[in-house]
Every structure is written in C-alpha cells, then in structure tokens.
Amino acid sequence: MRAKIIAANWKMNKGYHVGLTFAQALVRALEPPTHHSAQIILLPPFIHLSTLSQTLAIQQHIHLGAQNCHQDAYGAFTGEIAAPMLRSVGAQYVLVGHSERRQLFNEDNRLLAKKVTAALPHALKPIFCCGESAETRAEGGQEAFVKQQLVESLFHLTAQQIAQVIIAYEPIWAIGTGKTATPTEVQAMHQAIRSMVTQQYGEAIGQDLPILYGGSCNAQNAHVLFSCPDVDGGLIGKASLEVASFVPIVNALNEVAA
Ligand code: PGA
C-alpha cells in the first residue's frame, strides 16, 4: 500500500515561540497513531527545524522538512541554505518547486532538477511540486504542462532515486485562493502523473509513488479529495496554521486510509 501523507507548509509564518507552542499543541490534539495513520510532515521556516526535531523526536509519525534548499552543498551563497545543513538539524524532506518559488523567485525546471539532485545524497526526500496556471487549464494544456515539469526536473533521476520522491500536484489557481480543484480534475491529473512516471520507470515505481494534492485543501473538502484513488494525501498551506483547521484534515486522511 502507498504511503499516506499530510504535509504542512507553514510558508513564512510563525516566530520561534509561536511555532514551538503550535507544534506542541498539535501533538496533543492528534489522535494516537495506529499502524495505518498518515505520516505528517511539518515544513516550517528554517529557524524551527533544530528545536522541533528535538521536540518531535519521539513522535514516530511526525517528520520535518524544509521549504527550500540551495542546489550546491556549501559555498559563498549569502542568505542560502544547503541540503546537508538541513539534514544536520533533523529535516528529512524538502519542498522543491513550490509555485511561489517558481513565480516569485524565478526558479525554473532546470534549476529545480539541480535542487532535486542536490537533496537526495543527503537523505533529504524531495516533495516536488508541479501544477498549471488558470490560463494553461483554460486552453486544456494542463497535462502537457505538468509532464514538461516532470520530464525537465525529475526524469533524469535513476529508478532508485525517484523512489525517494513525493510529488505534490498544486494547480497555481487553487493555491491560497479558496478555489479547490474538483475531485474529477484532481483524480484525472493524479492518474496522468502516475502513468507518466509508470511509463518512464515501470509499474512498481509508478504504483508506489505518493502523489499529494495541494491548493485550498481544508477540513470541508479533504475527505472527498482524499477518497480519489490516486490521491495519497495533501500539501496544506493556510489550513495547516491552526490546530483546529489542520487536525480534521489529518483525520480525514486517516478515515479514508482505514
Ligand atoms: P493553500 O496552500 O493550502 O493555502 O492553498 C497550499 C500550498 O501552497 O502548498
């Protein structure tokens, strides 16, 4: 069975004390994990990683990741952070290619390929984000667009490497807008992504690949989205910032997985 995953993208929110208090409250509010519980991946700003990795050390089903990393392992890159540094403070995952990084920080498919390649040797699993704009969807070009993102940023990996990757489908028009893709749209794209990966790497890798949906996922729509056969969980932005809005999303995935 494929891994079930809820990733919480805090983006640029929560100072040190607020983040710590929030993580502690979250642990108290989550139901005790069972063998089929979803894995939870918290993606806080870098400043939290070291403390949270100690605070959450005994929580077997809660992991930590970063929202970005540089494509080089070290060097004179003022203001940047490298994969081995993230690993050294307890991160096990890293978001690569979030649409905000693509749009606001000019990250393109070629650069993202380098970031994915940089993360893997340090046991950082990339959560690779892909997804189309409203204009691309209006023209019916969404699958070709996403395919190009996968081909240019992921398909240079070996089979062993791609088995470490999680894909998050996040249509740009749904991120932070309150407009969620319909279950039909989500299932169609997730199925398409799985078949692209299957064509490139074979049936076993395609079937094992976790594909998360992101974009205005919340307590109201989580259950129906997670019920789609090719949806293995969610990448949650706004609704991950409060315990009351995040826990029901985790519960929804656990119900679907049970
Ligand atoms: P949202 O963000 O849930 O606030 O739409 C999702 C994301 O950007 O990963």
Side-chain angles (χ1 to χ4, degrees):
M1 214 178 83
R2 281 194 293 275
K4 296 283 177 185
I5 296 164
I6 299 284
N9 180 6
W10 294 9
K11 308 192 180 183
M12 197 172 72
N13 293 292
K14 296 190 191 295
Y16 182 76
H17 294 291
V18 174
L20 179 58
T21 311
F22 172 79
Q24 288 164 336
L26 181 62
V27 169
R28 284 194 299 275
L30 288 168
E31 283 166 19
T34 64
H35 67 281
H36 59 66
S37 291
Q39 298 293 311
I40 296 168
I41 304 172
L42 300 184
L43 304 162
F46 302 133
I47 59 154
H48 296 290
L49 290 171
S50 177
T51 310
L52 289 190
S53 74
Q54 290 162 37
T55 309
L56 302 172
I58 55 164
Q59 305 296 329
Q60 302 280 332
H61 63 310
I62 307 182
H63 309 282
L64 280 175
Q67 297 170 17
N68 181 31
C69 74
H70 195 265
Q71 63 275 19
D72 286 289
Y74 61 91
F77 301 104
T78 302
E80 290 293 319
I81 190 148
M85 297 173 179
L86 296 172
R87 184 63 196 174
S88 75
V89 287
Q92 292 174 269
Y93 297 87
V94 62
L95 272 188
V96 177
H98 189 280
S99 74
E100 287 151 19
R101 301 278 335 158
R102 293 174 185 266
Q103 289 184 309
L104 306 174
F105 301 95
N106 300 321
E107 297 195 355
D108 61 14
N109 290 344
R110 254 184 87 213
L111 174 68
L112 299 172
K114 290 184 187 165
K115 292 191 177 205
V116 168
T117 306
L120 287 164
H122 302 285
L124 272 187
K125 296 185 181 184
I127 303 175
F128 180 78
C129 304
C130 56
E132 80 289 351
S133 66
E135 297 72 44
T136 301
R137 181 164 280 271
E139 291 160 3
Q142 64 271 15
E143 286 187 16
F145 185 85
V146 166
K147 183 165 188 187
Q148 191 171 357
Q149 292 180 318
L150 302 189
V151 168
E152 292 184 5
S153 299
L154 290 183
F155 285 2
H156 63 289
L157 298 176
T158 64
Q160 207 184 5
Q161 287 175 320
I162 196 120
Q164 305 301 310
V165 174
I166 296 166
I167 291 182
Y169 169 57
E170 297 204 305
I172 299 168
W173 46 274
I175 296 176
T177 57
K179 259 193 247 163
T180 320
T182 66
T184 310
E185 288 167 335
V186 173
Q187 171 55 25
M189 182 60 87
H190 281 227
Q191 195 175 7
I193 291 172
R194 196 176 303 292
S195 82
M196 291 169 205
V197 172
T198 300
Q199 264 180 20
Q200 184 74 14
Y201 292 100
E203 188 69 22
I205 291 206
Q207 282 309 315
D208 281 354
L209 173 79
I211 309 178
L212 315 183
Y213 170 76
S216 300
C217 184
N218 57 37
Q220 284 70 48
N221 58 36
H223 198 284
V224 62
L225 290 167
F226 298 160
S227 300
C228 299
D230 284 293
V231 175
D232 305 305
L235 174 54
I236 318 298
K238 190 159 181 276
S240 76
L241 296 176
E242 302 289 339
V243 170
S245 50
F246 187 60
V247 170
I249 298 176
V250 176
N251 291 345
L253 185 57
N254 285 336
E255 277 164 34
V256 171

